[in-house]
Amino acid sequence: MKQRLKHSFSPFNPFARLGIQKYSTTLPVITTVATAVGIELIINNLLNNPDGVALPAIFVFIGLIVYFAFRDGVKGGILTTVATLTYYLYIIYSRNYSAQQLQTGLETVFILSILYTAIAVIIGWLKQTLDVVIISEVKAREAAEEGKVRLESVLDQMPVGVVLVDARNNTVHANNHIENILGRKLVSEIPDDKTHTSPDLAYLNGKLIKPSEWPVTRALQKGEKVFAEEMEIVKPDKKKIILRVNAVPIKNSKGEIVAAVSTLDNVTAEKEQEVRKDDFINMASHELKTPITSMNLYLELLERNLKKSKDTKSLKTLKSIQNQTERIQELINDLLDVSRIQTGKLIFRKQTFDLNLVVQESIETLENLAERRRIIFKPANSLLIFADRFRIYQVLTNLISNAIKYSPAGTDIVVSAYKSGSKIRVDVEDYGIGIEKTEVDKIFERLYQVADRTEKTFPGLGMGLYISKEIITRHKGKLWVESEKGKGSIFSFTLPLNSGKTTT
Ligand code: ADP
C-alpha cells in the first residue's frame, strides 16, 4: 500500500523525477492559474480584509515557482513566473487604484519579476544539470552492467575453466567449466598458506603447491604471466586429474595490478595419450634396433665377400644400402634418446678431453655430406672440458649437419670454438635459410619443425635440437640461436671449462 502510494505520487514528487528530462508545460500554467483563481475567490467571497492576503499570496507563488522550477526545469519556473506576474498585473488593474498606487504596484511587480525570474532560472538550471549528471551516471552504470553480463556469458561459452580474481583475492567470476573440471565450486576467496586446508594442487612430480605459489596468486601478487604450467589435483571423487594452467595480471591505466585472470584446462586424457605414444615410440625403436644391428652385420659380411670377388658394381649398390641403414640407425638412436629424456634415463659418462678434437672429428665425418659447402673451423688453444665426449660429438654433428641441410651449396659454414670467460663457447654459423623470429624458441621443442617449406623439403623429424638442448643443459651449459630469415643462423652453446674436478 505504502509502495503504491509512493508510486502514485511520484509525478508530483520532484525528487522522484530527478534524472527524468520530461519538463511539463501545462501543469505549471494550470496550477498557477488555478491558485490565482482560488485566491481571487477567497478574496471576493470570504474575506473582509483582502489586503491581509497579499503577503501569504506572495509566498504561495514563490513556493509554486520553486516547486515547478525543481520539477520542470527552467521552463517550469519561467512559466509559473509569467502566470504569477500576469495575475499580479490583473490585481493592479482590476482594483481601481489611484495613479500613485498604480505606480507603486507596477514598481513592486517589476522588482518581483526580477526576483522570481532569478529564482526560476537558478533552481531550474540546477535541476537540469542534476538530470544530466544522473542520466550519464545511470547510463555508465548500465553500460558497465551490460559489459559484465556480456563478459560473463562469453566466459561461460569458453571451452576452458576461467577464474577472475580481484585485487583483494576474491573470486569475482568463475565460469561453468570450473565446476565441471574440479568437480566442486571454487572458493570465494583465495586462501593464504596458513589458512589453506584442501584441496591440494601439486606439481606433476608430486610436490604440493602452496596457495602463494598458485599461478593466479603469482599473477596477482607478483605480476607474473604464467603460461601452460601443468599440475595435478585430486577431485572430490578421489580421481586425480592433470590441469594445464595459465594466469595473467590485469592492470589499470596507471599500471597497477587490479585483478588477475586464470584459465584451467583438464589435459588428463591428452597426457595419457602422450604417455601411450611415448611408450609406443620407445617400444618400436627398441624392436627396430635388433633387426638393424643384424642387418649391419650381414652387410659387413657381404661387403667383405664382394671386396674379395672385386665386384665393384655390387659394392656400390651395397654402399647405398649401408648409407640408408645408417640413416635408419640414426633415427632409431634419436627416438631412443627422446624417450630416455622423457623417462629421465639419459645418462652421461664424463671424461676430460679437448673440445677442439671433437669439433674436428665431427667436421671430418660430415665433410662428405657438405657437397659444395666449405666448412671452416676456427679452433682455439686447448679447450679442456669434463663432459660426455660422445654426447658433445652428437650435439656438434647435429648443429653442423643442420647448417649443411638448411643452407645452399656454395656457401660457407664457419665453426668457431673459443674460451669466453669461465666458459667454452662454440658457434656454428651458416648463411642459409634462417629462422623466423616467432619460430626461434619453438625449434628446441620436441618434434618441432618449421612449417614454411615453400622452396625445398628437408628430411628430419625435429628431434635433433631437442636432444642437443637437453645434453647441453644437463652439462650446465646453454644452447641458443641467433637468426635472421633468409640471411642465416648462428647456433651457439657454452659449457663450463674443466676446473680440474672429475665429479659429475
Ligand atoms: P630436423 O632438422 O631433423 O628437422 P632439428 O631439431 O635438428 O630437427 O631442427 C628443428 C628445426 O629447426 C628444423 O626442422 C629447421 O626448421 C630448424 N633449423 C635447425 N637448424 C637450422 C638452421 N641451421 N637453419 C635454419 N633452420 C634450422
Side-chain angles (χ1 to χ4, degrees):
M1 178 68 187
K2 218 176 167 186
Q3 185 62 35
R4 210 190 312 154
L5 256 181
K6 198 175 156 193
H7 189 76
S8 58
F9 277 110
S10 64
F12 301 103
N13 177 1
F15 290 99
R17 293 176 59 85
L18 278 174
I20 300 174
Q21 280 176 313
K22 277 187 195 152
Y23 307 130
S24 172
T25 306
T26 44
L27 199 66
V29 176
I30 289 174
T31 313
T32 317
V33 170
T35 310
V37 171
I39 289 175
E40 272 305 290
L41 286 175
I42 292 170
I43 291 171
N44 292 339
N45 300 318
L46 302 173
L47 289 177
N48 303 327
N49 175 19
D51 288 347
V53 178
L55 203 62
I58 285 179
F59 283 111
V60 167
F61 285 113
I62 289 179
L64 281 179
I65 291 166
V66 170
Y67 173 80
F68 281 112
F70 198 62
R71 185 188 182 278
D72 296 302
V74 176
K75 184 168 91 175
I78 292 290
L79 285 172
T80 317
T81 303
V82 171
T84 304
L85 293 174
T86 312
Y87 174 53
Y88 285 176
L89 289 175
Y90 165 77
I91 293 175
I92 292 169
Y93 285 106
S94 64
R95 298 288 196 271
N96 296 327
Y97 284 160
S98 66
Q100 180 65 34
Q101 282 173 316
L102 204 65
Q103 170 86 14
T104 320
L106 283 175
E107 276 171 14
T108 313
V109 170
F110 177 70
I111 291 166
L112 287 177
S113 73
I114 295 172
L115 181 75
Y116 287 4
T117 309
I119 293 173
V121 170
I122 291 170
I123 295 180
W125 175 79
L126 266 175
K127 143 80 177 168
Q128 284 178 221
T129 311
L130 270 175
D131 285 345
V132 171
V133 171
I134 289 170
I135 284 171
S136 61
E137 199 158 295
V138 167
K139 274 192 187 152
R141 213 181 310 136
E142 278 170 3
E145 195 59 37
E146 205 176 291
K148 195 172 160 236
V149 170
R150 215 177 295 161
L151 175 70
E152 285 179 0
S153 50
V154 169
L155 294 183
D156 283 340
Q157 294 310 314
M158 284 176 72
V160 291
V162 185
V163 191
L164 263 170
V165 175
D166 70 12
R168 285 183 306 258
N169 268 5
N170 290 319
T171 306
V172 182
H173 183 75
N175 74 353
N176 300 336
H177 283 285
I178 288 287
E179 210 174 323
N180 297 343
I181 292 172
L182 301 179
R184 63 180 173 82
K185 278 208 158 45
L186 207 70
V187 282
S188 57
E189 194 182 333
I190 306 253
D192 59 30
D193 293 355
K194 279 183 209 130
T195 55
H196 174 60
T197 47
S198 68
D200 283 314
L201 266 180
Y203 288 113
L204 298 187
N205 61 12
K207 189 177 169 268
L208 286 184
I209 312 174
K210 294 183 216 152
S212 61
E213 293 166 356
W214 289 358
V216 70
T217 327
R218 276 152 54 204
L220 197 63
Q221 291 172 358
K222 299 181 192 156
E224 254 183 69
K225 286 182 184 165
V226 183
F227 177 66
E229 227 163 71
E230 284 175 359
M231 45 198 68
E232 21 174 73
I233 194 164
V234 180
K235 290 192 10 169
D237 60 7
K238 303 276 178 264
K239 264 194 204 144
K240 206 182 250 184
I241 57 165
I242 301 175
L243 299 175
R244 186 173 294 145
V245 186
N246 297 303
V248 281
I250 299 173
K251 295 180 181 173
N252 63 13
S253 54
K254 288 184 213 146
E256 298 157 342
I257 298 171
V258 288
V261 61
S262 179
T263 62
L264 273 73
D265 201 3
N266 182 354
V267 291
T268 318
E270 197 183 305
K271 282 277 155 191
E272 281 168 2
Q273 183 82 10
E274 220 170 87
V275 170
R276 272 201 295 276
K277 194 181 74 194
D278 287 345
D279 286 350
F280 172 77
I281 292 175
N282 193 12
M283 215 172 62
S285 31
H286 268 108
E287 289 299 319
L288 284 169
K289 211 178 151 184
T290 327
I292 287 288
T293 316
S294 330
M295 264 171 76
N296 276 335
L297 288 174
Y298 288 124
L299 285 172
E300 269 174 38
L301 200 69
L302 196 60
E303 189 181 17
R304 246 178 278 148
N305 291 341
L306 288 176
K307 270 184 185 159
K308 265 191 217 152
S309 61
K310 298 208 169 61
D311 183 350
T312 43
K313 210 172 163 197
S314 302
L315 262 173
K316 217 173 152 197
T317 315
L318 181 78
K319 192 74 211 149
S320 307
I321 300 173
Q322 275 174 326
N323 285 344
Q324 293 308 317
T325 43
E326 208 174 289
R327 176 89 197 101
I328 299 174
Q329 181 87 57
E330 279 166 11
L331 278 176
I332 293 169
N333 286 344
D334 277 357
L335 283 169
L336 283 170
D337 280 347
V338 167
S339 83
R340 281 188 195 112
I341 293 171
Q342 295 293 298
T343 51
K345 286 181 189 152
L346 188 70
I347 303 161
F348 298 124
R349 292 182 184 83
K350 294 189 179 179
Q351 54 178 298
T352 303
F353 60 92
D354 187 345
L355 186 69
N356 286 307
L357 300 177
V358 184
V359 177
Q360 192 62 54
E361 254 171 56
S362 39
I363 292 176
E364 275 162 20
T365 323
L366 293 169
E367 226 140 30
N368 58 335
L369 284 181
E371 292 172 350
R372 286 191 302 107
R373 296 168 194 84
R374 211 160 38 130
I375 308 180
I376 304 162
F377 178 36
K378 295 182 178 167
N381 286 338
S382 158
L383 295 173
L384 286 184
I385 56 167
F386 181 67
D388 186 318
R389 197 177 195 281
F390 167 72
R391 292 296 179 184
I392 300 301
Y393 170 83
Q394 189 181 348
V395 173
L396 284 160
T397 24
N398 175 236
L399 298 185
I400 300 168
S401 62
N402 276 349
I404 296 171
K405 202 156 77 170
Y406 300 109
S407 63
T411 55
D412 284 347
I413 290 155
V414 185
V415 185
S416 330
Y418 52 98
K419 271 185 201 161
S420 164
S422 62
K423 294 185 177 105
I424 282 178
R425 177 166 165 175
V426 177
D427 297 331
V428 178
E429 183 171 7
D430 69 61
Y431 301 94
I433 62 169
I435 304 155
E436 209 84 62
K437 274 205 166 43
T438 49
E439 307 275 356
V440 159
D441 289 330
K442 297 186 196 153
I443 58 167
F444 296 100
E445 287 169 15
R446 186 166 61 127
L447 304 180
Y448 192 85
Q449 290 190 292
V450 178
D452 176 35
R453 299 266 165 84
T454 42
E455 292 162 15
K456 202 176 162 191
T457 53
F458 301 90
L461 289 177
M463 290 183 285
L465 287 177
Y466 171 72
I467 299 169
S468 299
K469 180 121 190 169
E470 177 75 10
I471 294 172
I472 296 296
T473 314
R474 294 263 314 272
H475 277 83
K476 299 194 171 61
K478 265 189 186 168
L479 169 64
W480 72 97
V481 63
E482 279 161 36
S483 184
E484 203 176 321
K485 185 83 191 152
K487 296 230 165 120
S489 317
I490 309 176
F491 281 84
S492 308
F493 68 83
T494 54
L495 285 171
L497 205 55
N498 186 12
S499 56
K501 283 184 203 150
T502 47
T503 49
T504 51

